[in-house]
Amino acid sequence: MKNVRTVSMVILLSLAVAACGRSGEDDDDRGDVEGAVIGISMPTKSSERWIADGANVKKELESKGYKTKLVFGEDDPDQQVSQIENLITQDVEALVVAAIDNKSLNNVTRQAADANIPIIAYDRLILGTKNVDYYASFDNERVGELQGKYIVKALGLDGDSKPGPFNIELFAGSNDDNNTRYFFKGAMKILQPYMDEKRLVVKSGQVALNQITTLRWDGATAQKRMEDILTSSYKAGRVDAVLSPYDGISIGIISALKSDAYGSKGKPWPVITGQDAELASVKSIMSGEQTQTVYKDLRKLAKVAANMVDATLKGEKPQINDRKSYDNRVKVVPAFLLQPVSVDRSNYEKVLIGGGWFTEDDLK
Ligand code: GAL
């Protein structure tokens, strides 16, 4: 009899402990999650932004009393999967994941769910699984709109004098990143009407998303595509604008243009957009090569993600401001979306230095 009672006590206790682990509804006590280990899986160190993201998320979680394990996937989807598998076997209590390939994570997200580990999709949504709890990102369609609007304004297309036609070439991000189609959709919403009126002309004829993507956001890939376009479609005429979704891609495009004497007399730089306000690109904007970038305050994004982890582990509801935009094909993932800001030569000091993102010295 005594043995039976002891066994039941043990079962009850372990059930209670398990309940506190994830849903923790009866548990207001912070102590239970204090010191829990959170796995952070970032896509690559090849871009400055993801290094900052990793460091920021780590810092935010540690300031809430968590321990962290941070890994970078070197832009290799298989490596990211095995890194996450490792984190799961190391008993992390939650995962923050910025996917390399949005569809490669289905098995590993199932393994996490089986182990009762919540997953926060960080900046890039994970597709095709119910096992993603929340999404922390920016208004990605708005990013594209800001790029499209910038081009329209810089070329004066929105004015009364109806200048043009202008030549534009279009670049998009990696086809395995869910953000790519949001950026493109936002930009095309603005640019398509001018293309329909033939005031914007894509001489290469490459306008469909599957013709203009850049695998893994690779600058060298974009450079090669821009070189090919210049050779095949610009024997006559010049490029007036390039829609680029990301600073690393813009750098590749600028190299191709430079080899074709853009930026020298008679061949002014086209309007070139970007995203992320990476240091090299802000310097390029200051020197008049790249024209614009879209700044996203990654410090805020890290805070949002850390709050999502914290609330989820405590059985509370994290702050959400979007419940409709991000359908991952299995469910609409509740999201918190931050606002991006367009930056060019006229406001980089105010936004980037004033906002404490860069110091004056960084930009020297
Ligand atoms: C996207 C992200 C962009 C940019 C790009 C390349 O997912 O939203 O800000 O960083 O990846 O890294």
Side-chain angles (χ1 to χ4, degrees):
M1 189 61 197
K2 201 170 164 219
N3 275 348
V4 172
R5 260 215 325 263
T6 317
V7 169
S8 336
M9 283 285 286
V10 169
I11 291 173
L12 274 174
L13 265 173
S14 26
L15 284 175
V17 168
C20 293
R22 164 128 190 216
S23 66
E25 247 111 49
D26 318 317
D27 168 35
D28 291 323
D29 180 7
R30 214 200 150 108
D32 280 296
V33 290
E34 181 102 32
V37 183
I38 314 300
I40 307 166
S41 169
M42 290 290 154
T44 176
K45 274 190 188 160
S46 70
S47 154
E48 159 193 318
R49 76 148 285 183
W50 297 112
I51 299 174
D53 286 285
N56 292 340
V57 175
K58 186 171 155 61
K59 188 179 110 216
E60 289 300 330
L61 285 167
E62 287 174 359
S63 77
K64 291 179 186 299
Y66 293 97
K67 296 200 173 99
T68 56
K69 285 198 170 133
L70 168 62
V71 293
F72 289 88
E74 285 175 31
D75 264 337
D76 172 1
D78 293 338
Q79 181 167 341
Q80 183 169 45
V81 168
S82 64
Q83 285 179 331
I84 297 174
E85 278 168 354
N86 266 334
L87 290 170
I88 294 172
T89 59
Q90 289 170 49
D91 288 335
V92 294
E93 300 276 332
L95 281 162
V96 177
V97 178
I100 296 168
D101 174 343
N102 59 46
K103 289 196 266 313
S104 68
L105 298 172
N106 290 3
N107 281 335
V108 84
T109 50
R110 193 173 317 118
Q111 285 171 40
D114 290 346
N116 223 15
I117 299 169
I119 298 184
I120 310 301
Y122 185 85
D123 202 42
R124 299 173 171 179
L125 188 59
I126 301 168
L127 300 187
T129 170
K130 65 175 168 34
N131 302 316
V132 46
D133 295 67
Y134 297 104
Y135 179 42
S137 191
F138 287 80
D139 181 341
N140 292 305
E141 197 171 322
R142 176 91 184 129
V143 171
E145 280 174 29
L146 290 175
Q147 293 160 344
K149 281 186 178 158
Y150 194 90
I151 290 174
V152 164
K153 191 134 191 278
L155 295 176
L157 287 164
D158 56 347
D160 296 331
S161 61
K162 299 239 165 208
F166 293 106
N167 296 323
I168 185 170
E169 293 298 331
L170 309 174
F171 283 74
S174 197
N175 60 1
D176 54 10
D177 183 335
N178 186 54
N179 291 345
T180 291
R181 61 196 170 99
Y182 285 78
F183 298 150
F184 186 59
K185 185 172 171 220
M188 290 314 276
K189 197 160 96 187
I190 308 295
L191 299 175
Q192 188 68 54
Y194 296 100
M195 284 163 55
D196 293 345
E197 278 181 50
K198 307 235 169 355
R199 296 180 66 204
L200 280 178
V201 178
V202 182
K203 280 182 89 175
S204 70
Q206 297 171 16
V207 291
L209 184 56
N210 65 7
Q211 296 175 301
I212 66 165
T213 51
T214 314
L215 187 63
R216 303 280 137 69
W217 304 89
D218 179 44
T221 305
Q223 177 172 347
K224 168 87 176 54
R225 184 169 161 252
M226 189 74 221
E227 283 165 359
D228 291 348
I229 289 174
L230 289 171
T231 314
S232 61
S233 309
Y234 289 88
K235 285 191 188 79
R238 63 180 172 82
V239 184
D240 300 302
V242 185
L243 172 71
S244 165
Y246 158 62
D247 287 350
I249 288 180
S250 316
I251 286 175
I253 293 167
I254 289 168
S255 298
L257 290 164
K258 218 176 240 173
S259 314
D260 201 25
Y262 281 82
S264 61
K265 249 198 165 160
K267 253 186 168 180
W269 287 109
V271 180
I272 306 165
T273 60
Q275 174 176 203
D276 283 352
E278 294 203 316
L279 185 60
S281 295
V282 176
K283 288 185 173 171
S284 170
I285 290 174
M286 290 164 66
S287 69
E289 297 185 343
Q290 190 169 323
T291 329
Q292 179 250 18
T293 187
V294 175
Y295 167 60
K296 307 194 295 194
D297 190 338
L298 303 176
R299 295 164 298 185
K300 290 188 184 155
L301 185 62
K303 279 204 168 75
V304 169
N307 286 340
M308 282 174 167
V309 168
D310 194 40
T312 308
L313 290 180
K314 289 179 181 160
E316 294 160 6
K317 297 247 171 291
Q319 208 191 337
I320 294 303
N321 66 4
D322 183 285
R323 292 184 184 276
K324 63 173 196 325
S325 306
Y326 286 93
D327 187 337
N328 83 343
R329 293 170 195 158
V330 174
K331 70 181 204 184
V332 178
V333 182
F336 193 95
L337 306 178
L338 292 156
Q339 280 306 314
V341 179
S342 178
V343 167
D344 69 358
R345 237 174 156 170
S346 71
N347 68 346
Y348 78 88
E349 280 170 308
K350 181 164 167 268
V351 177
L352 302 177
I353 300 177
W357 185 249
F358 288 128
T359 62
E360 251 168 77
D361 274 353
D362 293 333
L363 298 180
K364 267 182 193 150

